[in-house]
Amino acid sequence: MATISSRYPIATGAGDLTRRTTGGVLVGVVAALVVSAIVTTLGLDLGVSGAQSPFGAVPIVMSTVVSGAGAAVAYAVLVRVTDRPVRKFTVLSAGVFVVMLIPVVAIAPSLGLTAVGQGVLVLLHVAVAVPLVAFVAGAVGL
């Protein structure tokens, strides 16, 4: 029987995965809100404002929480069905990140976002994705 070793510790149970996910979501929310605050301070023209804006605090927090839940479920499934869950989770996360950028490029301009707004959305995606993946995968510990 082969033994697989991983650079990062695999979550040992639901409590461990919940702590990791919560840490990733909290850091992701803070990072995204900091980006949003900087953009607001600079007064950049993002295009969309009001209730339809993806740049408000509520949409940022809610989408980060949903992303965290999805990441935790995906990681939990990979732990059960693969020998290398961290590697597969990282690859899956990169794929999901690329797919999430498609609407930013293809649909956002028709909704009134400027090129700067699109760039800020990409930056917000990065601000959420990096800490979330790092915490869930175990690269960053609490």
Side-chain angles (χ1 to χ4, degrees):
M1 182 163 138
T3 301
I4 303 291
S5 64
S6 176
R7 174 188 273 170
Y8 304 112
I10 295 172
T12 56
D16 189 23
L17 184 55
T18 301
R19 270 190 304 285
R20 288 181 182 193
T21 305
T22 302
V25 166
L26 289 175
V27 172
V29 164
V30 169
L33 291 176
V34 165
V35 168
S36 180
I38 291 170
V39 167
T40 301
T41 301
L42 293 174
L44 300 175
D45 179 24
L46 305 175
V48 176
S49 61
Q52 298 297 321
S53 176
F55 302 108
V58 172
I60 288 172
V61 171
M62 294 307 296
S63 64
T64 304
V65 169
V66 169
S67 298
V73 168
Y75 183 83
V77 168
L78 290 171
V79 165
R80 292 202 185 274
V81 300
T82 68
D83 289 339
R84 296 179 178 253
V86 174
R87 173 177 280 180
K88 305 254 186 203
F89 176 72
T90 305
V91 170
L92 177 64
S93 298
V96 169
F97 181 80
V98 169
V99 169
M100 291 300 294
L101 293 181
I102 292 171
V104 173
V105 175
I107 299 170
S110 66
L111 299 176
L113 258 67
T114 64
V116 173
Q118 287 175 287
V120 170
L121 270 180
V122 170
L123 189 57
L124 288 171
H125 278 80
V126 170
V128 170
V130 169
L132 189 56
V133 171
F135 272 86
V136 172
V140 177
L142 294 175

